[in-house]
Amino acid sequence: MAIDYAERIPNNVSLAENRRLQRALEQWQPGFQSWWAEMGPVGFQARDVYLRTATSVDAQGWASFGYVRMPEYRWGIFLADAVHDRKVAFGDHKGEPVWQEVPGEYRGALRRLIVTQGDTEPASVEQQRHLGATSPSLYDLRNLLQVNVEEGRHLWAMAYLLHAYFGRDGREEADALLQRRSGSDDNPRILGAFNEQTPDWLSFLMFTFFTDRDGKYQLASLAESAFDPLSRTCRFMLTEEAHHMFVGETGIGRVVQRTCELMKEHDTDEVGRFGGIGLKLMQKYLNFHYSVSLDLFGAELSTNAANYFSMGLKGRFNEESRDDDHKLKETSYRITQVDENRIVQKDQPALLALNETLRDAYIADCARGVSRWNKVIKAAGIDFELRLPHRGFHRAIGDCASVKVTPEGRLITEAEWAAHHSHWLPTPEERVFVGSLMIGVTEPGRFAGWIAPPARGINHQALDFEYVKR
Ligand SMILES: [Fe+2]
Ligand SMILES: [Fe+2]
C-alpha cells in the first residue's frame, strides 16, 4: 500500500479513517519531537543531510534519497504488505488464521515484547548522540544520522502498535518510551547493552555490527508473530535494519584495511604511533561488544521464551523454513551450561531453549562477518585472525554470568580474571587512546587516518559528494 505523505503523520495504515487513533498519535508526536530535540544527535540539526526516506514498502526501490533537515524527516508508520490468508506458523495455534486484534489473554505478554523492542530504538539514538562531532568523514556522518533517524522511525513503529492495540496502558507505555534515558540512574533503558556508552566511532561501528544484529534476530522472530500487525511492522523494520549492519560490517572492515596498510607501510604491529588502531585492540573491542550483545538474548533456559512461542507471539529465526513440528513439545536442543564448575553441553527441552536457539543463529551470522574481515587481513599478507570469543566470556546474563571464562572458553577463578581481563577487554587507557584518534573530518572526500575510504558512495554518489551540507 502506498504511503500517504500528505498527512501530518505519513502512513500506509489508513490512519485518516481512524480519528481516535490519529488524534492519539498526533498528541504523541510533539513529545517525540521534543525527545528528538533533547536527546537526538547533537549538532547538525539545521544541516541538509542526504537521507533516504521510505516511499513504499515493497522490495523494489522503497527509498528516495534527498537533502533533508533531520527535524523535518518524515517519520511515520509503515507496515509491510499483508500476506493473503496468512496462518500461524508455530505454537499452540499453528495453522489457525493470524490475528488482527490482540487476544485478551496474551495482552500483557505481547505488550511487554513490544515495549522491550521499542525501548531499544530511542536508546541507541541516545547512546550515539555525541558522535557527529568526531565523524571520520561526511560519508560516515551521513550514515550515522541515517541510522539515527531510522531508529527514531522504529520507535514510531512500536508506539503505533501500543496506541492502536493496547488502549490506555498502551498510551502510557508509549509515553514511557520517551521518558526513559540510556545510562540514567533513576530511569534507565530496559536492557543492559542499551545503557552502555557508545563513546567513540570504533564503539559505534562495533555496536552497529553486533548490537543492531541482535535487533535483526529479535525483529525476525517477531516478524513470525501470529499478531499480524506486529509481524508486518517488523518485516518492514528489517529492511531498514539491514543498512545499520552494513554500516558496522563495512565500517570495521575499513578500519581493518587501514590498520593493515599502516602495518605494512611501517613494518610493525604497533600502529598506534601512526594514528591507527591495532588489530589486538580491535579484538578487545570486539570481545566487549559481542559479549554484551549475547546477553541481550537472555538466559539459556527460559519459560518466558517458551510461553511466547507456545502462545504464537514470537517464533524462531526463519520459523517457516524449519523442518520440524513447530510446536517443540517433544524435541530437545543442545545448549552450553555450567555444571559443577565445568562448561558442558547438555540436551534440554527445545521449548525452554529458544533464547539459546536464537543466540546460535546470531553467533553463526556474526562469524560470517568476522571471516570477511579476516579475508582483508589475509589479503594484506598479515598473519592474524580476529575471533569471536567463547559464548561464556564476560557474560552478565545466563549460566556463565556466575563464573569467569576466558575468550578460549576455559573456566578461571576470580583472581585469574582480575589478573588477566585487561588482556581481553579494552583498558581505560586504550579507550582514551581510541578517543584521541577521533577528530572530526568534514571536508568532502577526506577520511580520518584510522579508517580506509569505503569501496563506493551512498546511492551511486561519489566519495567526495557533500553528504552533509555546511
Ligand atoms: Fe531499530
Ligand atoms: Fe538499527
Side-chain angles (χ1 to χ4, degrees):
M1 213 169 141
I3 293 174
D4 188 349
Y5 273 99
E7 294 284 323
R8 197 157 128 200
I9 300 171
N11 72 90
N12 69 348
V13 294
S14 307
L15 192 57
E17 288 163 28
N18 186 340
R19 303 302 292 210
R20 256 175 72 121
L21 177 59
Q22 187 177 35
R23 237 174 299 126
L25 283 164
E26 283 178 359
Q27 272 168 24
W28 186 80
Q29 192 173 32
F32 171 83
Q33 281 155 345
S34 44
W35 167 78
W36 180 267
E38 187 197 334
M39 296 310 294
V42 173
F44 308 102
Q45 297 280 357
R47 303 286 192 88
D48 285 319
V49 186
Y50 189 67
L51 294 175
R52 71 175 183 184
T53 303
T55 47
S56 79
V57 294
D58 51 25
Q60 310 87 16
W62 60 272
S64 86
F65 285 83
Y67 283 110
V68 182
R69 293 194 183 107
M70 286 186 287
E72 284 145 36
Y73 189 77
R74 301 305 314 274
W75 285 287
I77 301 155
F78 314 129
L79 271 59
D81 289 336
V83 174
H84 178 68
D85 205 20
R86 185 172 166 251
K87 300 280 196 298
V88 182
F90 61 94
D92 296 343
H93 302 284
K94 182 174 182 298
E96 297 172 17
V98 292
W99 321 319
Q100 301 306 328
E101 294 293 333
V102 181
E105 67 270 37
Y106 298 158
R107 199 181 164 86
L110 199 49
R111 192 183 56 215
R112 183 160 153 207
L113 280 170
I114 292 169
V115 166
T116 306
Q117 178 61 42
D119 193 66
T120 67
E121 314 289 356
S124 61
V125 174
E126 292 166 1
Q127 289 171 294
Q128 296 161 13
R129 64 191 300 259
H130 293 290
L131 291 171
T134 55
S135 63
S137 71
L138 285 186
Y139 165 92
D140 291 288
L141 174 59
R142 177 259 164 220
N143 283 349
L144 166 73
L145 302 176
Q146 180 74 59
V147 168
N148 292 162
V149 293
E150 286 177 352
E151 301 303 9
R153 210 207 62 74
H154 293 175
L155 168 58
W156 267 95
M158 295 297 118
Y160 160 72
L161 293 175
L162 291 168
H163 272 110
Y165 297 98
F166 293 89
R168 191 188 158 149
D169 27 326
R171 289 196 293 280
E172 285 167 5
E173 291 286 10
D175 287 341
L177 290 174
L178 297 174
Q179 283 151 11
R180 285 186 286 272
R181 292 287 181 268
S182 176
S184 156
D185 286 333
D186 39 76
N187 196 11
R189 293 294 174 183
I190 295 170
L191 300 170
F194 292 90
N195 287 301
E196 298 283 350
Q197 286 190 338
T198 310
D200 57 66
W201 274 77
L202 184 60
S203 300
F204 169 67
L205 298 173
M206 290 288 179
F207 183 100
T208 46
F209 183 86
F210 287 109
T211 309
D212 281 281
R213 192 174 309 273
D214 158 70
K216 166 183 165 182
Y217 282 83
Q218 302 301 338
L219 292 174
S221 43
L222 293 173
E224 301 286 345
S225 183
F227 179 47
D228 204 41
L230 175 61
S231 163
R232 291 173 56 197
T233 302
C234 290
R235 269 192 285 134
F236 185 64
M237 288 164 77
L238 279 166
T239 62
E240 294 172 312
E241 205 59 51
H243 172 69
H244 309 179
M245 287 175 292
F246 161 87
V247 168
E249 183 175 329
T250 56
I252 296 295
R254 289 161 53 206
V255 184
V256 168
Q257 188 188 330
R258 179 64 186 144
T259 298
C260 292
E261 286 165 10
L262 288 168
M263 286 170 76
K264 287 187 7 193
E265 190 180 327
H266 300 284
D267 194 22
T268 176
D269 300 350
E270 308 297 320
V271 295
R273 285 188 289 146
F274 306 103
I277 302 171
L279 294 173
K280 284 185 191 142
L281 182 50
M282 241 181 282
Q283 177 69 58
K284 291 182 172 187
Y285 270 72
L286 184 160
N287 291 349
F288 176 80
H289 287 273
Y290 177 65
S291 56
V292 299
S293 301
L294 286 182
D295 276 342
L296 291 170
F297 292 84
E300 289 78 10
L301 296 176
S302 161
T303 43
N304 273 342
N307 290 337
Y308 293 153
F309 183 86
S310 294
M311 291 170 175
L313 309 184
K314 184 178 177 184
R316 288 169 294 172
F317 186 68
N318 284 342
E319 183 66 51
E320 270 153 86
S321 55
R322 287 174 187 254
D323 189 17
D324 58 28
D325 72 353
H326 303 276
K327 296 189 178 216
L328 305 179
K329 305 268 187 209
E330 327 269 303
T331 336
S332 63
Y333 192 84
R334 181 152 295 187
I335 70 169
T336 305
Q337 281 185 295
V338 178
D339 187 22
E340 293 182 21
N341 240 13
R342 281 183 323 134
I343 293 179
V344 295
Q345 308 280 311
K346 270 196 183 172
D347 286 333
Q348 294 287 3
L351 204 48
L352 289 174
L354 286 166
N355 286 344
E356 196 66 357
T357 308
L358 193 59
R359 188 161 25 232
D360 281 337
Y362 168 84
I363 289 173
D365 199 14
C366 289
R368 284 189 285 273
V370 172
S371 76
R372 284 189 283 268
W373 298 333
N374 282 331
K375 282 196 188 117
V376 176
I377 304 175
K378 202 168 173 201
I382 291 166
D383 184 22
F384 185 92
E385 271 194 1
L386 292 166
R387 281 197 200 134
L388 294 178
H390 186 270
R391 70 177 70 208
F393 171 76
H394 188 235
R395 290 286 299 280
I397 288 175
D399 244 33
C400 288
S402 57
V403 292
K404 295 292 182 220
V405 181
T406 68
E408 291 73 36
R410 196 165 53 80
L411 269 180
I412 53 172
T413 62
E414 290 283 344
E416 285 175 288
W417 173 264
H420 291 286
H421 70 81
S422 64
H423 299 307
W424 304 321
L425 292 168
T427 63
E429 296 74 30
E430 285 166 336
R431 288 191 178 276
V432 168
F433 165 72
V434 170
S436 76
L437 297 178
M438 303 292 139
I439 292 162
V441 175
T442 55
E443 195 183 310
R446 274 202 56 219
F447 289 80
W450 56 270
I451 189 168
R456 57 191 69 85
I458 290 293
N459 192 34
H460 311 295
Q461 299 291 358
L463 288 189
D464 62 358
F465 182 75
E466 199 172 12
Y467 289 102
V468 181
K469 283 201 176 164
R470 269 167 219 282

